[in-house]
Amino acid sequence: MGLLDDVAEVLIREDELRARVADLGRQISKDYDSKTPLLVGILKGAAVFLSDLIRQITIPCLMDFMATSSYEGGTESSGIVRILKDLDQTIEGRHVLIVDDVIDTGYTMDYLLETLKARYPASLRVCALLDKISRRRRHVPIDYRGFEIPDKFVVGYGLDYGGIYRNLPFICVLKPEVYA
Ligand code: IMP
Ligand code: MG
C-alpha cells in the first residue's frame, strides 16, 4: 500500500502548483525590489511551498521559520494558537512576508499578525498558497494568494493529516475511510 492508494481526488495538480508558485515569485520579486524581505515560513505545512517559492524569487531575500500549533493532530482548529518555535532574529525595520500553506479559520494568521506587528517591522504581509475562505472566523488580509479552495480537508505539497502525506507532490482530498 502506497500513499496514492489513499487519494480520493486531486484538487491542484503538480504543474498547476508550479505555474502559480512562479507567478507569486515574480510578483513578490517585483513588489519587494531593493527591500531584501524576510520570508517567514510557518512550519511545518509551509516548508514545501516556501522552498519552491524562494527559488522563484529573483531579488535578495532572507528566510526564517516559526512553528505554531492549534490543531493537535486532528482536522479542526482549536482556536487557541501557541508559538512552538519563534524567529531567530529581530524584525524591527524589516519587510516581513509571512508564508503559510493554508488560511482556514484564520485564527493562526490573525495571531501571527498581531504578534509580529508588535515588533515594529517596516511592513508586514501575508502569502498563502491556499485560501479556504468559506471557513474564515477571523478576517485576514491575504496579499499573495495561490488558490482559493472549497471547504475540504486537503493534504499534499506540505500539508498533512496526522503528520503523513506532506510529500505528495499535489494537493488532494483523501478517501473518507482514511479520516475515519
Ligand atoms: P487556521 O488557524 O484555521 O487558519 O489554520 C491554519 C493552519 O491549519 C494551516 O497553516 C495548516 O497548517 C492547518 N490546516 C488548515 N486546513 C488544513 C487542511 O485542509 N489540511 C491540512 N492542514 C490544514
Ligand atoms: Mg500551518
Side-chain angles (χ1 to χ4, degrees):
M1 285 287 280
L3 286 182
L4 289 176
D5 296 310
D6 294 341
V7 173
E9 186 198 353
V10 174
L11 292 187
I12 309 171
R13 294 189 314 269
E14 208 174 341
D15 60 305
E16 295 174 306
L17 285 166
R18 198 178 310 117
R20 192 75 189 106
V21 171
D23 288 343
L24 294 172
R26 254 191 306 275
Q27 191 63 50
I28 291 165
S29 304
K30 204 171 124 205
D31 294 352
Y32 287 92
D33 189 26
S34 76
K35 289 194 172 137
T36 314
L38 171 66
L39 276 65
V40 174
I42 308 307
L43 296 171
K44 308 179 182 76
V48 173
F49 172 41
L50 181 55
S51 76
D52 280 348
L53 179 66
I54 205 161
R55 283 173 287 176
Q56 300 299 325
I57 292 177
T58 53
I59 57 164
C61 64
L62 300 166
M63 179 167 75
D64 203 343
F65 293 95
M66 287 179 84
T68 59
S69 170
S70 75
Y71 267 54
E72 331 252 284
T75 64
E76 287 292 325
S77 173
S78 64
I80 299 157
V81 182
R82 286 188 305 140
I83 292 184
L84 302 179
K85 182 222 173 293
D86 207 334
L87 296 172
D88 291 341
Q89 53 210 281
T90 59
I91 58 168
E92 188 170 342
R94 279 229 165 270
H95 293 280
V96 175
L97 178 59
I98 308 175
V99 178
D100 208 354
D101 50 0
V102 52
I103 314 282
D104 184 32
T105 61
Y107 287 132
T108 304
M109 194 52 72
D110 186 59
Y111 179 81
L112 286 171
L113 285 169
E114 282 308 306
T115 303
L116 296 186
K117 214 175 280 171
R119 300 180 189 179
Y120 303 106
S123 69
L124 183 59
R125 287 184 182 171
V126 174
C127 174
L129 178 68
L130 306 175
D131 182 8
K132 267 195 226 175
I133 196 155
S134 62
R135 298 248 314 159
R136 205 58 42 82
R137 306 288 294 275
R138 289 279 180 280
H139 171 72
V140 173
I142 305 179
D143 303 281
Y144 305 93
R145 172 193 354 234
F147 302 87
E148 196 178 314
I149 60 164
D151 177 9
K152 289 179 177 175
F153 193 83
V154 296
V155 301
Y157 199 69
L159 291 96
D160 72 303
Y161 175 61
I164 312 289
Y165 305 102
R166 296 189 196 276
N167 52 324
L168 287 170
F170 42 72
I171 299 286
C172 65
V173 178
L174 297 175
K175 291 176 181 164
E177 60 262 34
V178 179
Y179 298 121

